[in-house]
Amino acid sequence: MRISTGTRRWMLAAALCGGLITGCSSGSGGGDSDEKAQARPATDSKPLAQGALRPLLLTQADLGTGYLQVQEKPGTDKFGDVSVQGCPSLEKLGQRGDEMMFASKAETSFTYDTKATLGEELHSDRPSVLSSKLSELFGAYTACPTYTMTAGDTPIEVKIAKSATPKLGDEQFAYTSTMELPSGAQVLKTMAVRKGNVAVMLVGAPALVDRHIEAAVGKVPAGR
């Protein structure tokens, strides 16, 4: 199954070094948990524009010493040749493509101590849209405990495990992805928190995601 352009970022962010981030860091994933403080949106406010999201992104000042922001070259397509096999839910998701994207997005990424990495995406849409699409996306990723992702000619075995989430925002989603790479097993953690009409997503070394998710969510004002 070939992954459409609109879904590649989610795929790589979830399970492949070089998605939102520039590399991977070894680590251990969090424990499985089906207990999430899910809240149905009481209001359906309009999405924020990209310009309103950018000031809400994490900065080097927020993260502390040892972090370096990654400057990406404009027009670089890191997702052009990615496919996945062995997971019907992801295959179905891939066929839907751009309809799974949100109204607006802002992003940034960092390296830590030149080894570990942390990427952040902020998405905005109506709360009901964020809620339904995040549930569908994370449900698809956690539906298959294992699958194979191919980047170019390189097959990568991926193992997925649900992760516990902190009690932040209105809804929380998280899982860890373990990639069996030639250099050894590498682990990424993907966590998303919806706060009103903004979704905060961190992807990277599990320890860094856990360390900074509260600060990332805290930059989104209440009542959005």
Side-chain angles (χ1 to χ4, degrees), residues 140-204:
Y141 289 131
T142 57
C144 302
T146 62
Y147 62 88
T148 300
M149 176 174 284
T150 301
D153 296 327
T154 304
I156 300 171
E157 297 301 314
V158 182
K159 297 179 181 179
I160 300 292
K162 292 182 181 180
S163 298
T165 57
K167 303 299 183 181
L168 297 171
D170 300 305
E171 294 179 277
Q172 313 88 30
F173 310 84
Y175 60 87
T176 56
S177 309
T178 303
M179 286 74 66
E180 298 297 335
L181 303 172
S183 58
Q186 302 288 333
V187 178
L188 289 179
K189 188 169 189 175
T190 302
M191 185 179 295
V193 174
R194 182 184 68 81
K195 188 175 182 179
N197 63 350
V198 176
V200 178
M201 186 166 82
L202 296 187
V203 183

